[in-house]
């Protein structure tokens, strides 16, 4: 798959995510009709769509505040900014994306933003401290690949729109309590409406999972190509693997934006069922893919641990 | 009647494929141009820094005239270069000349301690890194473009329509050429 094909596929998937979002909002509104009547259902529909539109316009900032990221000035950390500038040039981006800092000891990084002019790279202070320049550059190249491949728009949309679906189905649930029991409807109808209300957010979460895994391999490979240094990427992933700390302000909604799973809950240690809810492929597999592409071997894990 | 339809469908398909291939080659060529202008920006930025640097070093080591001349000549050779290959050759000469200039600076502790000199040196290092980054991108776009116009379907029309292979911006020795990366999915 070439880069252009990937970009085109991402554009198509972004449109699909938006369509699916609208469908889910309509499903939730229609299901709530059985409980809250016409006015309530129209209200939920309007609120869901309006909030979705707001999320589209402000997706990047929403993710920023969810993860407690703050903008970093060039004078605060010229070295980091230079690395970002160099990687952006090597990747052929038209402009250098701004850098945001998340004050968190766990090493991790992400990229977010829906529109090209509002895209940024987020780095935790833990990553900044832990990584030597060569590996930090590889992590930044991974994030900038996500930007160049247009993954970021898709992933940010998925993150914020999943949140909106979860929120309005929650809202519909609450409203059913105030609205009392559904007037003169049969129990089967009520039951199916209830099932729809429960399934809608779940479907949204599953969609988000399916989106993120394969593109991590792609971003690793792109980063290796941008820097012409697959080993640096593998070393950086190994360093992330060795650090067990979790990012404090990351949850299911934002997990897939990060370079590796920011929380244990989504790292999927729970065996086969865990695999279904993993947002990222295991770091070991990603390192192996880089080793095969680059023709090198990192020392085994036990030796470095 | 059937024959007419078959011929028309075949023609439409052929035209569609031709348009797609043509647009692809044009897009790749535009990427090469963008890549080159990225390098050009950084080369100009460095060329603007050099006179300041030379003046600063002159202030402490006026009699090292040979080195200054070498740097100034190499700088104008880069500015004069007509093609990527020429610019690449001039660039590596300038790199060597700057190396000698900094070697000379080593002998003057006052110069090495000067804030102005340190800033210029950091700026210059930064620009060198950016030239290297821009070169990686440019060479990758050249590789993609050249491969596209030299391989089969596009090969048929690339020559007659005036798509010419582009030159690489030569990497200094010891650095690897870019490799084409395709992603198995």
């Amino acid at each position: 798959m070439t880069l252009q094909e990937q970009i085109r596929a991402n554009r198509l998937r972004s449109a699909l995510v938006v369509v699916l979002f609208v469908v889910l909002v309509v499903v939730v509104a229609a299901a709530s009709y059985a409980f809250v009547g016409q006015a309530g259902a129209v209200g939920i529909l309007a609120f869901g769509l309006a909030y979705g539109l707001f999320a589209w316009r402000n997706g990047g900032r929403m993710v920023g505040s969810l993860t407690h990221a703050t903008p970093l000035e060039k004078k605060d950390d010229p070295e980091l900014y230079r690395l970002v500038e160099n990687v952006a040039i090597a990747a052929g981006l038209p402009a250098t994306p701004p850098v945001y800092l998340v004050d968190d000891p766990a090493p991790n990084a992400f990229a977010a933003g829906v529109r090209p002019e509002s895209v940024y790279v987020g780095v935790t202070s833990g990553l900044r401290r832990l990584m030597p320049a060569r590996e930090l550059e590889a992590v930044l190249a991974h994030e900038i690949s996500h930007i160049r491949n247009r993954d970021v728009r898709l992933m940010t949309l998925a993150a914020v729109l999943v949140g909106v679906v979860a929120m309005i189905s929650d809202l519909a649930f609450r409203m059913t309590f105030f609205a009392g029991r559904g007037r003169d409807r049969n129990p089967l109808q009520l039951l199916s409406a209830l099932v729809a209300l429960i399934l809608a957010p779940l479907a949204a979460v599953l969609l988000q999972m399916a989106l993120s895994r394969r593109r991590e391999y792609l971003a690793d490979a792109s980063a290796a190509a941008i820097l012409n240094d697959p080993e640096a990427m593998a070393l950086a992933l190994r360093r992330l693997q060795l650090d067990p700390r979790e990012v404090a302000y990351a949850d299911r909604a934002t997990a897939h934006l990060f370079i590796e799973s920011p929380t244990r809950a989504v790292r999927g240690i729970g065996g086969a069922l865990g695999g279904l809810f993993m947002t990222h492929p295991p770091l070991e597999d990603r390192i192996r893919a880089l080793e095969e592409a680059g023709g090198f071997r990192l020392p085994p894990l036990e030796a470095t641990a | 009647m059937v024959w007419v339809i078959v011929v028309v469908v075949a023609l439409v398909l052929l035209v569609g494929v031709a348009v797609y291939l043509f647009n692809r080659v044009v897009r790749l060529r535009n990427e090469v141009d963008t890549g080159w202008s990225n390098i050009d920006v950084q080369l100009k930025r460095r060329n603007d820094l050099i006179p300041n640097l030379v003046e600063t070093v002159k202030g402490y080591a006026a009699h090292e005239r040979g080195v200054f001349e070498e740097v100034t000549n190499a700088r104008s050779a880069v500015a004069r270069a007509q093609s990527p290959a020429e610019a690449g050759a001039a660039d590596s000469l300038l790199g060597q000349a700057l190396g000698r200039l900094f070697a000379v600076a080593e002998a003057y502790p006052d110069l090495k301690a000067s804030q102005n000199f340190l800033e210029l040196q950091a700026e210059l290092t930064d620009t060198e890194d950016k030239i290297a980054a821009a070169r990686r991108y440019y060479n990758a776009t050249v590789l993609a473009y050249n491969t596209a116009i030299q391989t089969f379907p596009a090969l048929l029309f690339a020559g007659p329509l005036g798509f010419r292979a582009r030159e690489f911006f030569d990497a200094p020795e010891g650095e690897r050429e870019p490799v084409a990366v395709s992603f198995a999915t």
Side-chain angles (χ1 to χ4, degrees), chain B residues 1-152:
Chain B
M1 197 54 210
V2 175
W3 278 109
V4 175
I5 293 173
V6 168
V7 168
V8 166
V9 168
L11 271 180
V12 167
L13 275 180
L14 212 63
V15 169
V17 169
V19 165
Y20 169 78
L21 284 174
F22 181 79
N23 286 350
R24 177 161 172 269
V25 172
V26 169
R27 198 196 69 233
L28 288 172
R29 190 180 59 185
N30 288 345
E31 276 174 12
V32 173
D33 289 339
T34 315
W36 178 251
S37 67
N38 286 351
I39 294 185
D40 214 33
V41 166
Q42 300 303 334
L43 289 179
K44 288 218 172 72
R45 185 175 154 214
R46 186 178 59 183
N47 270 9
D48 291 343
L49 285 172
I50 287 171
N52 269 334
L53 183 74
V54 169
E55 282 311 306
T56 309
V57 179
K58 254 186 196 163
Y60 294 83
H63 55 280
E64 308 270 7
R65 213 168 295 141
V67 187
F68 301 140
E69 224 162 81
E70 197 184 344
V71 169
T72 313
N73 288 341
R75 171 182 176 271
S76 50
V78 172
R80 269 200 319 270
Q82 294 295 324
S83 70
E86 251 179 66
D91 177 67
S92 61
L93 282 181
L94 178 57
Q96 289 166 19
L98 285 171
R100 267 191 284 280
L101 183 72
F102 284 117
V104 164
E106 283 295 310
Y108 299 85
D110 290 350
L111 172 62
K112 271 170 61 193
S114 130
Q115 191 59 36
N116 196 14
F117 177 73
L118 289 177
E119 268 169 29
L120 281 168
Q121 195 176 19
E123 261 316 84
L124 202 70
T125 312
D126 181 38
T127 317
E128 298 280 356
D129 289 346
K130 291 206 161 70
I131 292 173
R135 180 180 55 222
R136 272 201 304 265
Y137 176 67
Y138 171 76
N139 284 347
T141 61
V142 169
L143 184 69
Y145 169 73
N146 286 354
T147 309
I149 64 168
Q150 286 161 0
T151 49
F152 174 57

Side-chain angles (χ1 to χ4, degrees), chain A residues 2-70:
Chain A
T2 69
L3 197 62
Q4 285 305 316
E5 284 162 352
Q6 169 74 8
I7 290 173
R8 216 168 299 140
N10 276 339
R11 205 169 285 155
L12 187 72
R13 285 198 202 101
S14 299
L16 265 177
V17 166
V18 172
V19 169
L20 204 83
F21 165 75
V22 172
V23 169
L24 285 176
V25 170
V26 169
V27 165
V28 170
S32 63
Y33 175 68
F35 300 102
V36 297
Q38 199 176 8
V42 169
I44 284 176
L45 184 67
F47 177 74
L49 293 182
Y51 196 43
L53 194 68
F54 175 81
W56 186 357
R57 305 286 302 172
N58 302 292
R61 236 171 300 154
M62 285 170 78
V63 170
S65 62
L66 276 176
T67 51
H68 291 221
T70 50

Side-chain angles (χ1 to χ4, degrees), chain A residues 1-4 8 74 82 85-87 89-93 137 148 214 218 221-222 225-230, chain B residues 20 24 27 31 34 38 42 45 122-123 126 129-130 133-137 176-179 181-185:
Chain A
M1 191 184 248
T2 69
L3 197 62
Q4 285 305 316
R8 216 168 299 140
K74 184 167 181 176
R82 285 217 175 108
E85 281 168 6
N86 291 350
V87 175
I89 290 173
L93 285 193
E137 200 174 23
R148 188 183 58 172
R214 217 184 44 192
L218 183 60
S222 300
I226 287 171
L227 299 176
N228 217 347
D229 190 0
Chain B
Y20 169 78
R24 177 161 172 269
R27 198 196 69 233
E31 276 174 12
T34 315
N38 286 351
Q42 300 303 334
R45 185 175 154 214
E123 261 316 84
D126 181 38
D129 289 346
K130 291 206 161 70
R135 180 180 55 222
R136 272 201 304 265
Y137 176 67
R176 288 172 296 166
E177 284 299 308
V179 283
V181 177
S182 72
F183 311 109
T185 49

